[in-house]
Amino acid sequence: MKSDAVKKGIERAPHRSLLYALGCTREEIDKPFVGIVNSFTEIVPGHIHLRGIADAVKEGVRGAGGVPFEFNTIAICDGIAMNHAGMKYSLPSRELIADTVEVEVEAHAFDALVFIPNCDKIIPGMLMAAVRLNLPAIFVSGGPMLAGVFEGKKVDLNTVFESVGAVMRGKMTEAELTRLEEAACPGCGSCAGMFTANTMNCLTEAMGMGLPGNGTIPAVDARRRALAREAGRQVMNLLAKDIRPAGIVTGDAIYNAFTVDMAMGGSSNSVLHVMAIANEAGVDFDLARVNEISQRTPYLCKLSPAGTNRIEDLDRAGGIQALMGELKDRLKLKALTVTGQTVAENIARVKTLDSSVIHPVKDAYSATGGLVLLFGNLAPEGAVVKRAAVAPEMMVHRGPARVFECEEDATRAILDNKIKSGDVLVIRYEGPKGGPGMREMLTPTSLLSGSGRDKEVALITDGRFSGATRGASIGHVSPEAAARGPIAAVREGDIISIDIPNFKLDLELSDKEIADRLAKVADFEPRIKTGYLRRYIEKVTSASTGAVFSR
């Protein structure tokens, strides 16, 4: 066992002495040591209850003959960090999470790991750590938040963001907004919609690193603690059978994750994160394949923000396993999972319990998936759009560029009613290097959606969007402006052409004109001069590679 490095032999007597100080018995020292990686924090609603989840995991580990040791990593709430300097740290925290887990695990020589994430960057950061360390490992998330209820309708955090735009346009009063904000988030869990956190928890299950139910069982449901106990037991089986992430997170697993992602119209951030996980796992997965998967995957499950159903409805309908059952002809069925069985074996007996939530293939919302990559002279390395959340009238659009050098300037222009119907907002220098940190921009997109202008105004950025975003919001434009990508050449009034059905995003200028303009662009001057973000700027790569660190 790997833990023998800290407990076997006469020269490890000092180490054993320290283990006794923790309360370990002689019998326990001879058992496998299991690291419980918990992202509990008191500032994140998705994580406030994770102490209880960890307790249940430890029960399972002990019952199956292991010795659990819990440790923590950091977690940022994107909702609280949104639209201020704090959001610059959100995506960069993903790399820190992976590194801190690696440091803790290698220093203490654990034999196996159980990961307990629940929100945006924490899930992919932990998955990156799992494949990097390649110890027997399993994931159990904290589960989704239940939707709130306001005036008889289901609501969630995105409802509150969009209602700010409604107040701005006189469609809602401030008193109504106050009542809504008190009702929208009724308790613990990851925010109630197919936003980034729930997308990634579902994809963890789809790629085989979480047990059935990982993505959808509500945080407050007793089944969530039962699942946590089972994860603790199952990690001991993985250890006994020597099943490791390298045998699970393969090219087939990445393919399955993207297929499920397309079928449920997941967050555009999933492309960024799944590519980063693939990179860490040494899986060569070309970004263009995402469009191929999207074109052959029907859109079967329309959840908020694209539809009215929530994650709890998907769970009631059979969850991710039922959705995968509907997709069985499009999945890599021989892929191994943490159940110790293949995808085919896992879904052999599942069935959809509510076809109004998970549509059958013959009754798909559309024949193609919810996410696509756009390419063209404005995005040679690609850009991402959540096609499922774009209004039909904006699928093809041509309009004048309104250019902003940061999110704050664009937000101010929207609030001051300076944006006209047909405009294409361009927000640049918000990419991985330029931001730095590739901020999510839920505020400007919510202002547009809440005021009803998401059907007449497009938004393009080298930054990114929250999974709660809807409308013609095109992010991850690569290369970014800070790397002299073509988006740096756009000028006020230039015509931009968007053709989502044909995967095109173009600036209506000649290649020579774009090159001439870029030659005159001033060298990028980092906005942050000190601390972690300065180091992040120096190491981070393009969004097209998952915004991972250069090797």
Side-chain angles (χ1 to χ4, degrees):
M1 292 188 293
K2 186 179 176 70
S3 61
D4 287 349
V6 298
K7 63 187 184 184
K8 293 291 185 180
I10 190 171
E11 71 279 13
R12 296 296 184 256
H15 304 63
R16 292 192 294 273
S17 183
L18 291 168
L19 291 169
Y20 290 137
L22 297 174
C24 288
T25 65
R26 287 183 181 274
E27 180 185 34
E28 287 175 328
I29 286 178
D30 290 331
K31 294 180 178 181
F33 283 5
V34 180
I36 312 299
V37 191
N38 193 356
S39 54
F40 163 78
T41 171
E42 292 184 341
I43 191 61
V44 184
H47 296 230
I48 189 68
H49 63 304
L50 294 189
R51 280 175 171 165
I53 298 297
D55 287 344
V57 168
K58 286 184 277 189
E59 290 173 16
V61 170
R62 289 192 185 98
V67 182
F69 296 90
E70 182 183 350
F71 65 91
N72 288 82
T73 187
I74 60 172
I76 289 174
C77 176
D78 281 11
I80 296 174
M82 194 72 65
N83 197 31
H84 61 90
M87 181 48 72
K88 292 180 183 292
Y89 288 87
S90 178
L91 180 61
S93 74
R94 188 188 69 187
E95 316 309 308
L96 279 177
I97 289 163
D99 289 349
T100 55
V101 173
E102 175 193 352
V103 167
E104 191 79 12
V105 170
E106 293 289 17
H108 297 103
F110 293 113
D111 298 304
L113 301 167
V114 180
F115 291 87
I116 308 175
N118 211 34
C119 289
D120 299 28
K121 263 51 64 189
I122 298 91
I123 305 158
M126 286 188 179
L127 282 163
M128 291 164 70
V131 297
R132 182 187 302 175
L133 292 161
N134 200 32
L135 294 171
I138 194 168
F139 280 63
V140 57
S141 77
M145 182 186 295
L146 294 175
V149 178
F150 179 67
E151 296 183 349
K153 296 180 180 179
K154 285 187 176 182
V155 294
D156 53 40
L157 181 65
N158 191 45
T159 314
V160 184
F161 270 100
E162 292 190 355
S163 293
V164 174
V167 171
M168 182 186 73
R169 294 293 292 268
K171 297 180 178 180
M172 187 179 197
T173 67
E174 289 190 38
E176 289 172 324
L177 179 61
T178 297
R179 294 202 307 275
L180 170 63
E181 69 189 50
E182 293 172 347
C185 299
C188 64
S190 46
C191 294
M194 190 46 71
F195 312 146
T196 306
N198 287 324
T199 297
M200 291 308 300
N201 278 328
C202 289
L203 297 191
T204 299
E205 183 178 338
M207 70 174 65
M209 287 298 293
L211 293 172
N214 178 73
T216 61
I217 296 174
V220 296
D221 195 313
R223 292 176 297 147
R224 177 57 58 178
R225 285 184 66 98
L227 187 73
R229 281 193 297 275
E230 180 58 28
R233 287 191 290 266
Q234 184 59 20
V235 78
M236 299 304 295
N237 288 331
L238 297 175
L239 178 61
K241 296 177 181 178
D242 197 31
I243 296 175
R244 300 171 182 254
I248 296 175
V249 186
T250 62
D252 283 355
I254 299 299
Y255 186 96
N256 286 345
F258 273 128
T259 299
V260 172
D261 199 8
M262 298 305 159
M264 64 183 185
S267 165
S268 59
N269 285 317
S270 61
V271 176
L272 192 74
H273 295 320
V274 175
M275 292 299 291
I277 295 161
N279 180 280
E280 192 72 57
V283 174
D284 184 11
F285 203 92
D286 190 280
L287 194 60
R289 289 188 68 191
V290 176
N291 279 346
E292 296 174 11
I293 295 170
S294 183
Q295 286 304 98
R296 68 188 301 273
T297 304
Y299 182 27
L300 303 180
C301 186
K302 184 181 285 192
L303 303 180
S304 172
T308 56
N309 287 323
R310 300 304 196 282
I311 302 297
E312 66 231 48
D313 298 311
L314 173 57
D315 182 67
R316 176 176 50 79
I320 294 302
Q321 297 301 302
L323 179 58
M324 293 177 77
E326 298 290 347
L327 295 167
K328 62 185 177 183
D329 294 337
R330 293 164 173 81
L331 295 173
K332 305 295 185 181
L333 296 175
K334 294 181 180 179
L336 184 64
T337 75
V338 291
T339 65
Q341 297 182 307
T342 64
V343 169
E345 291 170 320
N346 287 345
I347 66 174
R349 290 175 295 279
V350 302
K351 62 180 181 178
T352 297
L353 303 177
D354 187 342
S355 59
S356 70
V357 178
I358 303 173
H359 284 207
V361 171
K362 64 182 180 181
D363 188 32
Y365 287 103
S366 69
T368 54
L371 291 174
V372 294
L373 277 294
L374 308 182
F375 296 89
N377 67 5
L378 189 52
E381 294 178 6
V384 184
V385 64
K386 193 171 186 176
R387 173 167 57 183
V390 178
E393 52 265 53
M394 292 299 292
M395 296 294 282
V396 177
H397 182 75
R398 181 177 177 272
R402 301 294 309 281
V403 182
F404 302 93
E405 308 300 325
C406 65
E407 176 189 2
E408 288 83 357
D409 290 350
T411 299
R412 194 172 303 113
I414 296 170
L415 287 169
D416 292 343
N417 289 316
K418 293 182 178 179
I419 304 303
K420 300 177 181 178
S421 177
D423 284 349
V424 179
L425 278 68
V426 176
I427 307 177
R428 63 190 179 193
Y429 292 99
E430 288 286 5
K433 289 182 183 293
M438 206 178 180
R439 288 189 289 180
E440 288 185 348
M441 300 185 196
L442 184 55
T443 297
T445 59
S446 294
L447 289 172
L448 291 173
S449 297
S451 60
R453 285 182 284 175
D454 59 309
K455 295 183 173 74
E456 57 191 42
V457 174
L459 200 161
I460 294 171
T461 182
D462 54 7
R464 61 196 180 94
F465 299 110
S466 165
T469 292
R470 57 190 176 96
S473 301
I474 300 167
H476 308 193
V477 171
S478 300
E480 63 176 300
R484 288 185 183 271
I487 192 171
V490 182
R491 294 177 182 171
E492 192 82 5
D494 286 346
I495 301 300
I496 293 176
S497 174
I498 301 165
D499 187 348
I500 295 173
N502 290 304
F503 319 121
K504 298 292 291 181
L505 178 62
D506 286 305
L507 180 61
E508 294 189 3
L509 295 175
S510 68
D511 291 345
K512 182 179 184 306
E513 175 64 19
I514 293 173
D516 288 346
R517 289 188 185 183
L518 289 176
K520 298 174 184 176
V521 171
D523 290 339
F524 168 64
E525 183 64 28
R527 289 169 170 165
I528 305 293
K529 308 294 184 183
T530 60
Y532 173 58
L533 287 183
R534 176 62 195 218
R535 299 196 299 276
Y536 182 84
I537 292 168
E538 294 169 355
K539 294 290 289 181
V540 72
T541 60
S542 171
S544 62
T545 63
V548 296
F549 279 176
S550 58
R551 295 185 181 273

mmCIF file with all atom_site columns, all heavy atoms in Angstrom, residues 522-536:
data_model
loop_
_atom_site.group_PDB
_atom_site.id
_atom_site.type_symbol
_atom_site.label_atom_id
_atom_site.label_alt_id
_atom_site.label_comp_id
_atom_site.label_asym_id
_atom_site.label_entity_id
_atom_site.label_seq_id
_atom_site.pdbx_PDB_ins_code
_atom_site.Cartn_x
_atom_site.Cartn_y
_atom_site.Cartn_z
_atom_site.occupancy
_atom_site.B_iso_or_equiv
_atom_site.pdbx_formal_charge
_atom_site.auth_seq_id
_atom_site.auth_comp_id
_atom_site.auth_asym_id
_atom_site.auth_atom_id
_atom_site.pdbx_PDB_model_num
ATOM 1   N N   . ALA A 1 522 ? -1.262 47.683 -29.202 1.00 0.00 ? 522 ALA A N   1
ATOM 2   C CA  . ALA A 1 522 ? -0.207 47.823 -28.197 1.00 0.00 ? 522 ALA A CA  1
ATOM 3   C C   . ALA A 1 522 ? 0.026  46.499 -27.480 1.00 0.00 ? 522 ALA A C   1
ATOM 4   O O   . ALA A 1 522 ? -0.883 45.670 -27.356 1.00 0.00 ? 522 ALA A O   1
ATOM 5   C CB  . ALA A 1 522 ? -0.599 48.905 -27.189 1.00 0.00 ? 522 ALA A CB  1
ATOM 6   N N   . ASP A 1 523 ? 1.272  46.302 -27.022 1.00 0.00 ? 523 ASP A N   1
ATOM 7   C CA  . ASP A 1 523 ? 1.585  45.093 -26.263 1.00 0.00 ? 523 ASP A CA  1
ATOM 8   C C   . ASP A 1 523 ? 0.701  45.017 -25.020 1.00 0.00 ? 523 ASP A C   1
ATOM 9   O O   . ASP A 1 523 ? 0.413  46.030 -24.375 1.00 0.00 ? 523 ASP A O   1
ATOM 10  C CB  . ASP A 1 523 ? 3.064  45.098 -25.841 1.00 0.00 ? 523 ASP A CB  1
ATOM 11  C CG  . ASP A 1 523 ? 4.003  44.904 -27.031 1.00 0.00 ? 523 ASP A CG  1
ATOM 12  O OD1 . ASP A 1 523 ? 3.542  44.388 -28.067 1.00 0.00 ? 523 ASP A OD1 1
ATOM 13  O OD2 . ASP A 1 523 ? 5.183  45.276 -26.909 1.00 0.00 ? 523 ASP A OD2 1
ATOM 14  N N   . PHE A 1 524 ? 0.288  43.812 -24.699 1.00 0.00 ? 524 PHE A N   1
ATOM 15  C CA  . PHE A 1 524 ? -0.579 43.606 -23.547 1.00 0.00 ? 524 PHE A CA  1
ATOM 16  C C   . PHE A 1 524 ? 0.156  43.934 -22.253 1.00 0.00 ? 524 PHE A C   1
ATOM 17  O O   . PHE A 1 524 ? 1.272  43.457 -22.020 1.00 0.00 ? 524 PHE A O   1
ATOM 18  C CB  . PHE A 1 524 ? -1.071 42.159 -23.515 1.00 0.00 ? 524 PHE A CB  1
ATOM 19  C CG  . PHE A 1 524 ? -1.748 41.757 -22.233 1.00 0.00 ? 524 PHE A CG  1
ATOM 20  C CD1 . PHE A 1 524 ? -2.928 42.365 -21.839 1.00 0.00 ? 524 PHE A CD1 1
ATOM 21  C CD2 . PHE A 1 524 ? -1.191 40.782 -21.414 1.00 0.00 ? 524 PHE A CD2 1
ATOM 22  C CE1 . PHE A 1 524 ? -3.555 42.007 -20.656 1.00 0.00 ? 524 PHE A CE1 1
ATOM 23  C CE2 . PHE A 1 524 ? -1.815 40.418 -20.228 1.00 0.00 ? 524 PHE A CE2 1
ATOM 24  C CZ  . PHE A 1 524 ? -2.990 41.035 -19.857 1.00 0.00 ? 524 PHE A CZ  1
ATOM 25  N N   . GLU A 1 525 ? -0.459 44.744 -21.429 1.00 0.00 ? 525 GLU A N   1
ATOM 26  C CA  . GLU A 1 525 ? 0.087  45.094 -20.125 1.00 0.00 ? 525 GLU A CA  1
ATOM 27  C C   . GLU A 1 525 ? -0.809 44.473 -19.056 1.00 0.00 ? 525 GLU A C   1
ATOM 28  O O   . GLU A 1 525 ? -1.977 44.854 -18.908 1.00 0.00 ? 525 GLU A O   1
ATOM 29  C CB  . GLU A 1 525 ? 0.121  46.609 -19.948 1.00 0.00 ? 525 GLU A CB  1
ATOM 30  C CG  . GLU A 1 525 ? 0.750  47.088 -18.645 1.00 0.00 ? 525 GLU A CG  1
ATOM 31  C CD  . GLU A 1 525 ? 2.218  46.744 -18.514 1.00 0.00 ? 525 GLU A CD  1
ATOM 32  O OE1 . GLU A 1 525 ? 2.894  46.622 -19.553 1.00 0.00 ? 525 GLU A OE1 1
ATOM 33  O OE2 . GLU A 1 525 ? 2.686  46.606 -17.374 1.00 0.00 ? 525 GLU A OE2 1
ATOM 34  N N   . PRO A 1 526 ? -0.307 43.497 -18.298 1.00 0.00 ? 526 PRO A N   1
ATOM 35  C CA  . PRO A 1 526 ? -1.146 42.824 -17.302 1.00 0.00 ? 526 PRO A CA  1
ATOM 36  C C   . PRO A 1 526 ? -1.795 43.797 -16.326 1.00 0.00 ? 526 PRO A C   1
ATOM 37  O O   . PRO A 1 526 ? -1.158 44.758 -15.876 1.00 0.00 ? 526 PRO A O   1
ATOM 38  C CB  . PRO A 1 526 ? -0.158 41.894 -16.575 1.00 0.00 ? 526 PRO A CB  1
ATOM 39  C CG  . PRO A 1 526 ? 0.912  41.639 -17.588 1.00 0.00 ? 526 PRO A CG  1
ATOM 40  C CD  . PRO A 1 526 ? 1.044  42.927 -18.359 1.00 0.00 ? 526 PRO A CD  1
ATOM 41  N N   . ARG A 1 527 ? -3.062 43.538 -16.024 1.00 0.00 ? 527 ARG A N   1
ATOM 42  C CA  . ARG A 1 527 ? -3.804 44.403 -15.107 1.00 0.00 ? 527 ARG A CA  1
ATOM 43  C C   . ARG A 1 527 ? -3.408 44.159 -13.653 1.00 0.00 ? 527 ARG A C   1
ATOM 44  O O   . ARG A 1 527 ? -3.568 45.033 -12.800 1.00 0.00 ? 527 ARG A O   1
ATOM 45  C CB  . ARG A 1 527 ? -5.307 44.161 -15.273 1.00 0.00 ? 527 ARG A CB  1
ATOM 46  C CG  . ARG A 1 527 ? -5.867 44.701 -16.582 1.00 0.00 ? 527 ARG A CG  1
ATOM 47  C CD  . ARG A 1 527 ? -7.283 44.210 -16.816 1.00 0.00 ? 527 ARG A CD  1
ATOM 48  N NE  . ARG A 1 527 ? -7.906 44.899 -17.942 1.00 0.00 ? 527 ARG A NE  1
ATOM 49  C CZ  . ARG A 1 527 ? -9.012 44.493 -18.552 1.00 0.00 ? 527 ARG A CZ  1
ATOM 50  N NH1 . ARG A 1 527 ? -9.620 43.397 -18.147 1.00 0.00 ? 527 ARG A NH1 1
ATOM 51  N NH2 . ARG A 1 527 ? -9.520 45.175 -19.560 1.00 0.00 ? 527 ARG A NH2 1
ATOM 52  N N   . ILE A 1 528 ? -2.931 42.964 -13.364 1.00 0.00 ? 528 ILE A N   1
ATOM 53  C CA  . ILE A 1 528 ? -2.531 42.600 -12.002 1.00 0.00 ? 528 ILE A CA  1
ATOM 54  C C   . ILE A 1 528 ? -1.013 42.441 -11.968 1.00 0.00 ? 528 ILE A C   1
ATOM 55  O O   . ILE A 1 528 ? -0.434 41.734 -12.801 1.00 0.00 ? 528 ILE A O   1
ATOM 56  C CB  . ILE A 1 528 ? -3.202 41.282 -11.555 1.00 0.00 ? 528 ILE A CB  1
ATOM 57  C CG1 . ILE A 1 528 ? -4.722 41.385 -11.697 1.00 0.00 ? 528 ILE A CG1 1
ATOM 58  C CG2 . ILE A 1 528 ? -2.803 40.938 -10.124 1.00 0.00 ? 528 ILE A CG2 1
ATOM 59  C CD1 . ILE A 1 528 ? -5.381 42.360 -10.758 1.00 0.00 ? 528 ILE A CD1 1
ATOM 60  N N   . LYS A 1 529 ? -0.363 43.073 -11.023 1.00 0.00 ? 529 LYS A N   1
ATOM 61  C CA  . LYS A 1 529 ? 1.097  43.099 -10.987 1.00 0.00 ? 529 LYS A CA  1
ATOM 62  C C   . LYS A 1 529 ? 1.698  42.198 -9.916  1.00 0.00 ? 529 LYS A C   1
ATOM 63  O O   . LYS A 1 529 ? 2.912  41.957 -9.929  1.00 0.00 ? 529 LYS A O   1
ATOM 64  C CB  . LYS A 1 529 ? 1.583  44.535 -10.735 1.00 0.00 ? 529 LYS A CB  1
ATOM 65  C CG  . LYS A 1 529 ? 1.003  45.579 -11.679 1.00 0.00 ? 529 LYS A CG  1
ATOM 66  C CD  . LYS A 1 529 ? 1.456  45.363 -13.105 1.00 0.00 ? 529 LYS A CD  1
ATOM 67  C CE  . LYS A 1 529 ? 0.951  46.487 -14.022 1.00 0.00 ? 529 LYS A CE  1
ATOM 68  N NZ  . LYS A 1 529 ? 1.317  46.257 -15.426 1.00 0.00 ? 529 LYS A NZ  1
ATOM 69  N N   . THR A 1 530 ? 0.907  41.742 -8.946  1.00 0.00 ? 530 THR A N   1
ATOM 70  C CA  . THR A 1 530 ? 1.450  40.982 -7.832  1.00 0.00 ? 530 THR A CA  1
ATOM 71  C C   . THR A 1 530 ? 0.572  39.781 -7.514  1.00 0.00 ? 530 THR A C   1
ATOM 72  O O   . THR A 1 530 ? -0.549 39.652 -8.018  1.00 0.00 ? 530 THR A O   1
ATOM 73  C CB  . THR A 1 530 ? 1.533  41.864 -6.560  1.00 0.00 ? 530 THR A CB  1
ATOM 74  O OG1 . THR A 1 530 ? 0.213  42.322 -6.217  1.00 0.00 ? 530 THR A OG1 1
ATOM 75  C CG2 . THR A 1 530 ? 2.436  43.068 -6.782  1.00 0.00 ? 530 THR A CG2 1
ATOM 76  N N   . GLY A 1 531 ? 1.084  38.907 -6.651  1.00 0.00 ? 531 GLY A N   1
ATOM 77  C CA  . GLY A 1 531 ? 0.290  37.813 -6.107  1.00 0.00 ? 531 GLY A CA  1
ATOM 78  C C   . GLY A 1 531 ? 0.027  36.673 -7.075  1.00 0.00 ? 531 GLY A C   1
ATOM 79  O O   . GLY A 1 531 ? 0.649  36.562 -8.142  1.00 0.00 ? 531 GLY A O   1
ATOM 80  N N   . TYR A 1 532 ? -0.932 35.831 -6.683  1.00 0.00 ? 532 TYR A N   1
ATOM 81  C CA  . TYR A 1 532 ? -1.227 34.628 -7.459  1.00 0.00 ? 532 TYR A CA  1
ATOM 82  C C   . TYR A 1 532 ? -1.676 34.952 -8.876  1.00 0.00 ? 532 TYR A C   1
ATOM 83  O O   . TYR A 1 532 ? -1.276 34.269 -9.830  1.00 0.00 ? 532 TYR A O   1
ATOM 84  C CB  . TYR A 1 532 ? -2.296 33.799 -6.746  1.00 0.00 ? 532 TYR A CB  1
ATOM 85  C CG  . TYR A 1 532 ? -2.785 32.615 -7.556  1.00 0.00 ? 532 TYR A CG  1
ATOM 86  C CD1 . TYR A 1 532 ? -1.897 31.630 -7.992  1.00 0.00 ? 532 TYR A CD1 1
ATOM 87  C CD2 . TYR A 1 532 ? -4.126 32.472 -7.894  1.00 0.00 ? 532 TYR A CD2 1
ATOM 88  C CE1 . TYR A 1 532 ? -2.324 30.548 -8.736  1.00 0.00 ? 532 TYR A CE1 1
ATOM 89  C CE2 . TYR A 1 532 ? -4.573 31.389 -8.637  1.00 0.00 ? 532 TYR A CE2 1
ATOM 90  C CZ  . TYR A 1 532 ? -3.665 30.427 -9.059  1.00 0.00 ? 532 TYR A CZ  1
ATOM 91  O OH  . TYR A 1 532 ? -4.100 29.364 -9.809  1.00 0.00 ? 532 TYR A OH  1
ATOM 92  N N   . LEU A 1 533 ? -2.505 35.970 -9.069  1.00 0.00 ? 533 LEU A N   1
ATOM 93  C CA  . LEU A 1 533 ? -3.000 36.275 -10.412 1.00 0.00 ? 533 LEU A CA  1
ATOM 94  C C   . LEU A 1 533 ? -1.876 36.680 -11.353 1.00 0.00 ? 533 LEU A C   1
ATOM 95  O O   . LEU A 1 533 ? -1.949 36.411 -12.558 1.00 0.00 ? 533 LEU A O   1
ATOM 96  C CB  . LEU A 1 533 ? -4.083 37.356 -10.350 1.00 0.00 ? 533 LEU A CB  1
ATOM 97  C CG  . LEU A 1 533 ? -5.434 36.915 -9.786  1.00 0.00 ? 533 LEU A CG  1
ATOM 98  C CD1 . LEU A 1 533 ? -6.440 38.055 -9.850  1.00 0.00 ? 533 LEU A CD1 1
ATOM 99  C CD2 . LEU A 1 533 ? -5.972 35.687 -10.513 1.00 0.00 ? 533 LEU A CD2 1
ATOM 100 N N   . ARG A 1 534 ? -0.844 37.334 -10.857 1.00 0.00 ? 534 ARG A N   1
ATOM 101 C CA  . ARG A 1 534 ? 0.289  37.657 -11.715 1.00 0.00 ? 534 ARG A CA  1
ATOM 102 C C   . ARG A 1 534 ? 0.979  36.372 -12.175 1.00 0.00 ? 534 ARG A C   1
ATOM 103 O O   . ARG A 1 534 ? 1.332  36.230 -13.351 1.00 0.00 ? 534 ARG A O   1
ATOM 104 C CB  . ARG A 1 534 ? 1.280  38.555 -10.964 1.00 0.00 ? 534 ARG A CB  1
ATOM 105 C CG  . ARG A 1 534 ? 2.545  38.863 -11.774 1.00 0.00 ? 534 ARG A CG  1
ATOM 106 C CD  . ARG A 1 534 ? 2.220  39.631 -13.045 1.00 0.00 ? 534 ARG A CD  1
ATOM 107 N NE  . ARG A 1 534 ? 3.325  39.620 -13.993 1.00 0.00 ? 534 ARG A NE  1
ATOM 108 C CZ  . ARG A 1 534 ? 3.673  40.664 -14.749 1.00 0.00 ? 534 ARG A CZ  1
ATOM 109 N NH1 . ARG A 1 534 ? 2.995  41.790 -14.646 1.00 0.00 ? 534 ARG A NH1 1
ATOM 110 N NH2 . ARG A 1 534 ? 4.660  40.575 -15.582 1.00 0.00 ? 534 ARG A NH2 1
ATOM 111 N N   . ARG A 1 535 ? 1.142  35.429 -11.273 1.00 0.00 ? 535 ARG A N   1
ATOM 112 C CA  . ARG A 1 535 ? 1.746  34.151 -11.649 1.00 0.00 ? 535 ARG A CA  1
ATOM 113 C C   . ARG A 1 535 ? 0.823  33.381 -12.597 1.00 0.00 ? 535 ARG A C   1
ATOM 114 O O   . ARG A 1 535 ? 1.285  32.703 -13.521 1.00 0.00 ? 535 ARG A O   1
ATOM 115 C CB  . ARG A 1 535 ? 2.041  33.313 -10.396 1.00 0.00 ? 535 ARG A CB  1
ATOM 116 C CG  . ARG A 1 535 ? 3.011  33.976 -9.443  1.00 0.00 ? 535 ARG A CG  1
ATOM 117 C CD  . ARG A 1 535 ? 3.579  32.996 -8.417  1.00 0.00 ? 535 ARG A CD  1
ATOM 118 N NE  . ARG A 1 535 ? 2.572  32.405 -7.559  1.00 0.00 ? 535 ARG A NE  1
ATOM 119 C CZ  . ARG A 1 535 ? 2.090  32.979 -6.461  1.00 0.00 ? 535 ARG A CZ  1
ATOM 120 N NH1 . ARG A 1 535 ? 2.523  34.176 -6.089  1.00 0.00 ? 535 ARG A NH1 1
ATOM 121 N NH2 . ARG A 1 535 ? 1.188  32.366 -5.720  1.00 0.00 ? 535 ARG A NH2 1
ATOM 122 N N   . TYR A 1 536 ? -0.486 33.513 -12.374 1.00 0.00 ? 536 TYR A N   1
ATOM 123 C CA  . TYR A 1 536 ? -1.464 32.855 -13.242 1.00 0.00 ? 536 TYR A CA  1
ATOM 124 C C   . TYR A 1 536 ? -1.351 33.377 -14.672 1.00 0.00 ? 536 TYR A C   1
ATOM 125 O O   . TYR A 1 536 ? -1.358 32.592 -15.630 1.00 0.00 ? 536 TYR A O   1
ATOM 126 C CB  . TYR A 1 536 ? -2.869 33.101 -12.690 1.00 0.00 ? 536 TYR A CB  1
ATOM 127 C CG  . TYR A 1 536 ? -3.986 32.429 -13.458 1.00 0.00 ? 536 TYR A CG  1
ATOM 128 C CD1 . TYR A 1 536 ? -4.320 31.104 -13.217 1.00 0.00 ? 536 TYR A CD1 1
ATOM 129 C CD2 . TYR A 1 536 ? -4.727 33.133 -14.404 1.00 0.00 ? 536 TYR A CD2 1
ATOM 130 C CE1 . TYR A 1 536 ? -5.349 30.484 -13.910 1.00 0.00 ? 536 TYR A CE1 1
ATOM 131 C CE2 . TYR A 1 536 ? -5.768 32.527 -15.104 1.00 0.00 ? 536 TYR A CE2 1
ATOM 132 C CZ  . TYR A 1 536 ? -6.074 31.199 -14.848 1.00 0.00 ? 536 TYR A CZ  1
ATOM 133 O OH  . TYR A 1 536 ? -7.085 30.586 -15.540 1.00 0.00 ? 536 TYR A OH  1
#
